[in-house]
Amino acid sequence: MTIVSNSVKHSAVDSRVDSFMEALVGQFPGEREFHQAVQEVVKSVMPVVLDNAAYLKAKVLERLVVPDRVISFRVVWVDDAGDVQVNRGYRIQMSSLIGPYKGGLRFHPSVTAGLLKFLAFEQVFKNSLTTLPMGGGKGGADFDPKGRSDAEVMRFCQAFMSELFHHIGPDIDVPAGDIGVGGREVGYLFGQYRKLTKRFNGVLTGKGVNFGGSQLRPEATGYGAVYFASEMLATRGESVEGKTATVSGSGNVAIYTVEKLNALGAKVLTLSDSGGTIVDMDGIDPEKIEWVKDLKTVRYGRISEYAQRYPNAEYLPGERPWRVPCDLAFPSATQNEIEACDAETLVNNGCYCVSEGANMPSTPEAVDVFQAARILYGPGKAANAGGVAVSGLEMTQNAGCMRRSRDEVDTQLQRIMKSIHENCVRYGRENDYVDYVRGANIAGFTKVADAMVQQGYI
Ligand code: NDP
């Protein structure tokens, strides 16, 4: 399939990207991560846009970078000491062209409207890639759950939902978890929504399985990132089995990435958090990852404790995992956690497959290093789409008052990750190399852009 006609010269594309970005930065100053995310997509899709008169006439790119709406609100709650706390809450409803807004909630002190806009923008294309009918959104608050008691987290969630509930609904906007929002928080948020509205419905995903949650939703992002790596490796006749892997983070995505890597016969050497990295050259085996699960989801502890529990492991305070030699890398913590120098170290030490569990964990310069080295590089919008895909299954399950078994969900997840990979290859193949960034962006974009053209100027 020819995507770019010969009439579209590269220099013309570059200058259109530059002028588009200049206008965007002028329009939304200071939103660095949003600019970064938009630039990556626009670089990939500009040739397609310039070659399509309907896209140009409808100004699809200009419209896609402006959210449908940005909701911003005050969250007031009382801490255990009786002091009043004030946080800022947000929901960015980016695009509902192909379905209700869908995307997680992040509770982290770094949250701003600009940061959430980058995540909401990514979400639009990621959700489109899953082939399920979901639009894109993202929300959260600058609240830090770390060090807060269970009662404080509950009161914060209740205060946050007391405003958010006005703006969401099973066919309007369906939030889920993200950094700082796991099963516990989704439970408290759902409880408050139910109390305020008197409705029991699929307004949130990632719920407990006993109140409408999907089997395998907590596992889905991590498992999906490993399935995506397996698909990439298969293009070279290889598999995950017998490989060494580094994983960053020690939250939801990281834990289930390790679990699936172990199940498929890889050896995982690292985990991390914002304090530092643990390196376990014996491998973070199934028994150890169960211990980490308990540490992180029951006791809310720090990854440094791993080195006390398993003395053969080393704790490297303030470090990221990327100087540990490995075959495969799974960045699963946060945005821009792999810089160009980290990417060079990874490649020089023999890493040849990167599957991103986190959203935009590699800087643009790091992505350039991976692509110049021609390694298998799966960007987050494709590699971590398993989470939202299973959320999509949870939505259909809730709408149809039905349940799927764990095996059924796992089969669907594998099927979806395979189809995302096929789409990336279809749009991203360049001779004997697959540019998964270009593939994911074009595949995700065309469906949304076509819907925009077909729905008129609104
Ligand atoms: P969690 O809150 O469960 O875990 C986040 C992990 O990343 C923690 O170990 C945390 O350490 C670490 N981390 C967070 N911020 C930083 C930072 N600035 N520097 C270093 N480490 C950091 O979140 P998730 O596992 O759910 O999310 C991880 C990534 O995956 C995010 O990019 C998220 O957007 C993405 N993602 C998540 C999905 C999901 O289903 N949950 C779906 C798709 C993508 P600490 O405890 O010290 O903060």
Side-chain angles (χ1 to χ4, degrees):
M1 172 182 184
T2 307
I3 293 173
V4 185
S5 83
N6 291 334
S7 64
V8 180
K9 299 274 186 301
H10 272 298
S11 55
V13 171
D14 290 344
S15 65
R16 286 298 282 261
V17 171
D18 290 347
S19 58
F20 185 87
M21 288 309 302
E22 215 171 291
L24 182 97
V25 172
Q27 202 180 357
F28 304 111
E31 298 181 345
R32 193 172 58 85
E33 292 90 354
F34 179 55
H35 304 158
Q36 183 182 332
V38 172
Q39 172 134 16
E40 186 218 89
V41 171
V42 170
K43 266 169 75 177
S44 298
V45 305
M46 188 60 88
V48 181
V49 173
L50 294 180
D51 209 33
N52 185 314
Y55 290 173
L56 280 172
K57 184 166 178 356
K59 291 206 162 51
V60 287
L61 277 181
E62 289 81 350
R63 289 161 68 188
L64 275 174
V65 295
V66 183
D68 286 357
R69 67 196 60 78
V70 174
I71 298 151
S72 165
F73 51 95
R74 185 178 62 239
V75 186
V76 181
W77 57 287
V78 180
D79 68 17
D80 286 348
D83 291 332
V84 173
Q85 298 285 338
V86 186
N87 287 97
R88 299 192 64 176
Y90 308 92
R91 185 71 183 163
I92 314 290
Q93 296 183 331
M94 198 76 197
S95 165
S96 62
L97 278 160
I98 61 169
Y101 306 104
K102 180 88 199 89
L105 298 171
R106 178 175 291 193
F107 291 169
H108 193 271
S110 64
V111 164
T112 60
L115 184 90
L116 294 174
K117 262 171 72 182
F118 121 62
L119 290 162
F121 183 75
E122 289 276 293
Q123 198 80 47
V124 172
F125 305 101
K126 181 193 307 190
N127 293 2
S128 165
L129 266 177
T130 66
T131 71
L132 299 172
M134 298 181 288
K138 201 86 186 186
D142 60 357
F143 168 72
D144 190 356
K146 275 202 287 290
R148 291 290 179 191
S149 71
D150 212 41
E152 289 179 315
V153 170
M154 180 170 69
R155 286 198 294 278
F156 176 80
C157 289
Q158 290 171 344
F160 181 82
M161 184 53 85
S162 297
E163 174 60 32
L164 186 70
F165 89 100
H166 292 296
H167 311 286
I168 60 176
D171 55 359
I172 302 170
D173 185 348
V174 184
D178 190 77
I179 291 177
V181 180
R184 172 181 64 165
E185 291 75 17
V186 170
Y188 293 150
L189 291 163
F190 184 72
Q192 182 72 353
Y193 173 86
R194 201 173 48 72
K195 179 178 167 72
L196 292 168
T197 62
K198 298 191 257 104
R199 291 202 176 98
F200 188 107
N201 58 34
V203 70
L204 288 158
T205 58
K207 301 185 291 297
V209 281
N210 52 347
F211 53 96
S214 172
Q215 296 282 355
L216 222 76
R217 175 60 189 88
E219 292 89 339
T221 308
Y223 280 19
V226 178
Y227 293 149
F228 196 81
S230 301
E231 292 295 328
M232 291 197 289
L233 287 164
T235 64
R236 297 189 179 178
E238 295 193 31
S239 76
V240 162
E241 191 176 358
K243 305 292 188 303
T244 54
T246 49
V247 176
S248 65
S250 49
N252 169 272
V253 178
I255 286 171
Y256 291 106
T257 296
V258 177
E259 187 169 281
K260 184 51 74 177
L261 283 167
N262 280 332
L264 296 182
K267 184 176 179 183
V268 182
L269 307 176
T270 65
L271 281 170
S272 68
D273 62 22
S274 53
T277 292
I278 56 103
V279 183
D280 185 345
M281 297 310 285
D282 295 340
I284 302 168
D285 63 25
E287 181 252 310
K288 292 171 181 171
I289 200 64
E290 281 305 313
W291 183 86
V292 174
K293 230 184 257 183
D294 184 71
L295 173 78
K296 287 290 176 175
T297 61
V298 179
R299 293 187 283 126
Y300 296 95
R302 310 301 298 156
I303 202 62
S304 56
E305 294 170 46
Y306 183 100
Q308 292 152 23
R309 174 70 182 77
Y310 301 104
N312 279 352
E314 192 185 358
Y315 178 61
L316 308 172
E319 286 210 32
R320 297 168 181 165
W322 314 127
R323 70 181 170 87
V324 177
C326 61
D327 301 310
L328 322 172
F330 292 84
S332 310
T334 193
Q335 63 278 354
N336 293 330
E337 57 169 312
I338 300 185
E339 296 175 56
C341 56
D342 303 313
E344 276 160 16
T345 306
L346 277 165
V347 170
N348 290 338
N349 283 339
C351 174
Y352 63 97
C353 176
V354 176
S355 186
E356 295 184 339
N359 283 308
M360 208 169 73
S362 307
T363 65
E365 297 76 21
V367 176
D368 289 345
V369 171
F370 293 143
Q371 294 196 322
R374 290 293 201 247
I375 71 163
L376 298 166
Y377 167 66
K381 110 170 24 92
N384 72 34
V388 76
V390 171
S391 275
L393 300 179
E394 183 171 328
M395 286 164 71
T396 59
Q397 218 174 265
N398 292 161
C401 295
M402 53 170 302
R403 283 183 170 276
R404 287 189 184 88
S405 71
R406 202 178 154 84
D407 284 350
E408 276 177 289
V409 177
D410 198 23
T411 304
Q412 293 269 23
L413 174 62
Q414 290 184 53
R415 185 188 58 73
I416 291 170
M417 296 316 294
K418 198 177 176 59
S419 109
I420 292 173
H421 181 267
E422 280 166 4
N423 265 316
C424 290
V425 172
R426 179 173 170 219
Y427 290 101
R429 183 175 285 290
E430 287 168 358
N431 304 318
D432 60 347
Y433 183 67
V434 179
D435 180 341
Y436 287 92
V437 176
R438 196 167 75 105
N441 283 334
I442 295 177
F445 168 80
T446 44
K447 190 169 148 198
V448 176
D450 288 344
M452 185 176 265
V453 169
Q454 287 157 12
Q455 291 179 30
Y457 305 147
I458 44 165

